[in-house]
Amino acid sequence: MLSPQITEKIDYELTKYPADQRQAAVMSALRIVQTERGWLSQESMSEVAAYIGMPEIAVMEVASFYNMYDLAPVGKYKISICTNISCMLRNSDEIVDHLKHKLGVEFNQVSADGKFCLKEGECMGACGGAPLMIINNHTMHEFLTPAKVDAILDELK
Amino acid sequence: MAKQSAKSPAPMMTDPKGQTLVCLRTLSESEPATLATYLKLGGYQSLKRLVTEKTKATDIITEVKISGLRGRGGAGFPTGLKWSFMPRYFDGVKYLVCNTDEGEPGTFKDRDIIRYNPHQLIEGMAIAAYTLGARVGYNYIHGEIWQDYETFEAALKEAKEAGYLGENLFGTNFSFDLYAVHGYGAYICGEETALIESIEGKKGQPRFKPPFPASYGVFGKPTNVNNTESYASIPWIMQYGGQAFADLGVANSGGTKLFSVSGHVEKPGNYEVKMGTPFAELLAMAGGVWQGRKLKAVIPGGPSTAVIPASVMESTTMDYDGLSKARSSLGAGSMIVMDDSTCMVKALHRLSYFFYEESCGQCTPCREGTGWVYRVLDRIVKGQGKMEDLDLLTDISKNISGRTICALGEAAATPVISFIKHFRAEFEYYIEHGKSMVDSKAEQG
């Protein structure tokens, strides 16, 4: 069951579209559910399909097409780091190595304590602040150095 | 258009950094994103004037044509001409869409518009909506810049409460609702028809054109799609006149342009300068090449534009014709600077992975071709390349280009062809020695 907190937010998104175009809100609906629950299980996607009134397969198509949706658990904090060219030129590889070493994970793995997951993202459209990473699809941290990464991780309890 | 008397003389707009601020003109103020700041600069007055004076759409479009404004998302199509494609009479809702889905590496200019000057974009869209008869608008924002999405939503609320969005604006029968919507990690949605599919709640796979969005867009209705920077230029053009905007730039490139400068410079970031500004001046604004190193190459408009070697770049001007003479293009103004420590083989390897990862999979030449290109480059980087791979890479790329529904195929091919053309010796060295020429030189000190 989608909680009232979730449906209230989805209902707000639905106001943006004509009444006969409810499917348009699926991008937001999946984002809202993922934000509340951490990731998108098959059950969550079915609930979204039922609430919006669209085929489950169409929800699945969207969830699997866009790479910020997580179809498997990502721990309490998902760290998406960009390694694309502008970040690479400013040594994102060094930040990736530092994160892998510090968290004891490779890309797409969750740390042993279930707290962190490291993902390699594609261009995040903020290359002026390279190298950079995003926590839980929300908070962006720019101009990263190993020391700055340490300070950010220390804040994540 | 409107009476000449209504227009004010254009102010001097050069800031201490040497920028000419049009789209980011609130940056010189202490609280750039607020409605109060925007109003202080004459914000929303053009919208009010055009709507209340019932200015004719054709007059507004003529003014946009005079301004020389060309689509800032990369294609450079004249904005005024695009607007004239929208059907004037249509029985039903017409839509307006803004493309703030910046996912091409090195592109981050629109982000600064929505976080530092959101109201100018809102006013620009409202003016476009009035001109084109659009009742509803969507600004589609890149999912990764979530905090900026929130800033823009807050600005929408502010504008609505102040009576600049919503029903019967300024007591007239003009109504316009504008909403923020978002992507969630797909480069392809920067392509306008993929973006429209995404707004409709589908996979972002481009549509075959024609029909163009002007006749069949969002929910199958006539839709005008422009880039963020294009819309954000409109209020200034209406306030000071199309000619004043054209005069800021050079022939064929009216106005200012936001350049996103990233990579090997001391001060990466966005710089808004007059079209036609020499590259050397822009580079100096960004603090020059970092760590006292030498310039090697520049990708001037995002990876879908051809790389330019330093020797050519240094004498190039930043405008449509200047970059076309340098055998590349202005693209979205996404300038990626590479110093002499850059291995061009590894740089291309990374870019090829990006296009492979982001191909939507719809067209065989792109879906398969980007994978082949990546795998061939991957074996070169792993020291297993063969000399004939270079011609193979060029051959595959030429066979992707022009054989796909959207421009991603061509975007993927351009860097491959241009990197190998300009830096062939470096690729040959890598294949012959199994390692990077640049790294080898560095080891030898």
Side-chain angles (χ1 to χ4, degrees), chain B residues 148-205:
Chain B
D148 308 311
Y149 176 90
E150 289 171 341
T151 304
F152 188 73
E153 273 226 311
L156 284 177
K157 192 162 175 267
E158 217 179 4
K160 189 169 182 168
E161 283 167 5
Y164 299 119
L165 287 175
E167 293 199 14
N168 300 111
L169 298 174
F170 315 111
T172 69
N173 61 4
F174 170 60
S175 302
F176 179 55
D177 291 314
L178 177 57
Y179 304 104
V181 295
H182 64 82
Y184 226 50
Y187 164 62
I188 190 62
C189 290
E191 197 280 338
E192 62 179 8
T193 60
L195 187 154
I196 288 170
E197 288 283 303
S198 187
I199 289 178
E200 294 180 357
K202 299 170 187 160
K203 288 186 290 186
Q205 291 190 319

Side-chain angles (χ1 to χ4, degrees), chain A residues 33-44:
Chain A
V33 172
Q34 176 168 295
T35 305
E36 293 285 323
R37 298 178 176 175
W39 64 291
L40 294 171
S41 64
Q42 193 114 21
E43 199 191 344
S44 292

Side-chain angles (χ1 to χ4, degrees), chain A residues 12-13 15-18 21 23-28 31 34-35 54 58 61-62 65-69 82-86 88-91 120-129 134 136-140 142-143, chain B residues 95 102-103 105-108 111 138 142-147 149-150 153 179-182 184-186 188-189 198-204 219 262-265 268 290 336-338 342 346-347 350-351 353-354 358:
Chain A
Y12 163 68
E13 297 298 330
T15 63
K16 298 177 178 178
Y17 309 102
Q21 299 288 348
Q23 178 170 345
V26 71
M27 296 280 291
S28 300
R31 186 245 316 155
Q34 176 168 295
T35 305
M54 61 190 276
E61 270 189 350
V62 168
F65 186 85
Y66 298 89
N67 69 25
M68 289 171 73
Y69 296 117
C82 179
T83 58
N84 212 311
I85 186 138
S86 297
M88 181 181 118
L89 293 173
R90 296 188 81 92
N91 304 324
E120 185 175 29
E122 277 303 342
C123 184
M124 296 167 184
C127 324
I134 304 177
N136 287 347
N137 289 346
H138 182 274
T139 312
M140 185 176 283
E142 300 173 75
F143 303 107
Chain B
Y95 289 90
E102 297 180 294
T107 315
F108 49 94
R111 178 191 187 204
Y138 296 110
H142 200 48
E144 283 86 342
I145 49 169
W146 196 259
Q147 289 155 303
Y149 176 90
E150 289 171 341
E153 273 226 311
Y179 304 104
V181 295
H182 64 82
Y184 226 50
I188 190 62
C189 290
S198 187
I199 289 178
E200 294 180 357
K202 299 170 187 160
K203 288 186 290 186
F219 308 128
S262 69
H264 293 154
V265 293
W290 74 345
I336 303 170
V337 177
M338 292 176 273
T342 312
K346 289 185 195 165
R350 181 62 185 87
L351 286 176
Y353 179 73
F354 168 71
E358 297 296 327

Side-chain angles (χ1 to χ4, degrees), chain B residues 86-100:
Chain B
M86 275 287 269
R88 198 90 54 80
Y89 305 101
F90 177 78
D91 191 18
V93 175
K94 288 189 270 184
Y95 289 90
L96 198 73
V97 168
C98 176
N99 183 346
T100 311

